[in-house]
Amino acid sequence: EVQLVESGGGLVQAGGSLRLSCAASGFTFDDDYDIGWFRQAPGKKREGISCISPVDGRTYYAEAVKGRFTISSDKAKNTVYLQMNVLKPEDTAVYYCAADEHYYCSEYLSDQYVEHWGQGTTVTVST
């Protein structure tokens, strides 16, 4: 059974940093599962912000976070990280990681074919 557990959210002042973790089980990074980070702010639609293919290393970022967020993976720990720097109040949202063998990490950051989601971790950025 695929399980994804996010952690690392919290309250931070604007300009600060957080590192989110997504611990995966039920598959390994050699199984060609791409992993994505998505977020949903209050009253807004869920949006894709970054994704990674641990097998070939490709990564993509939404324009809103490019240059501030960095996604990485640790195969030994079966964990994906999202380092978030220079946080802004508009980054406030619930952040979810997602994975699926049929999910393809691309520049479109679509959640199409994603069936496995974590429970989410809340990030609040204060002014």
Side-chain angles (χ1 to χ4, degrees), residues 48-68:
I49 56 171
S50 185
C51 64
I52 186 168
S53 170
V55 170
D56 64 23
R58 70 184 186 278
T59 60
Y60 294 96
Y61 298 92
E63 285 298 321
V65 306
K66 198 172 291 184
R68 300 188 296 122

Side-chain angles (χ1 to χ4, degrees), residues 8-22:
L11 173 64
V12 64
Q13 287 190 326
S17 298
L18 284 173
R19 188 178 79 157
L20 305 184
S21 300
C22 173

Side-chain angles (χ1 to χ4, degrees), residues 38-99:
F38 300 80
R39 69 185 181 186
Q40 187 166 21
K44 294 189 176 181
K45 290 176 59 177
R46 185 171 61 202
E47 61 174 340
I49 56 171
S50 185
C51 64
I52 186 168
S53 170
V55 170
D56 64 23
R58 70 184 186 278
T59 60
Y60 294 96
Y61 298 92
E63 285 298 321
V65 306
K66 198 172 291 184
R68 300 188 296 122
F69 291 11
T70 303
I71 192 169
S72 62
S73 63
D74 184 331
K75 287 189 177 183
K77 296 183 178 179
N78 229 42
T79 298
V80 169
Y81 302 98
L82 186 68
Q83 178 67 44
M84 307 187 297
N85 298 329
V86 196
L87 282 161
K88 305 175 181 180
E90 51 263 45
D91 294 319
T92 295
V94 179
Y95 285 69
Y96 301 90
C97 67

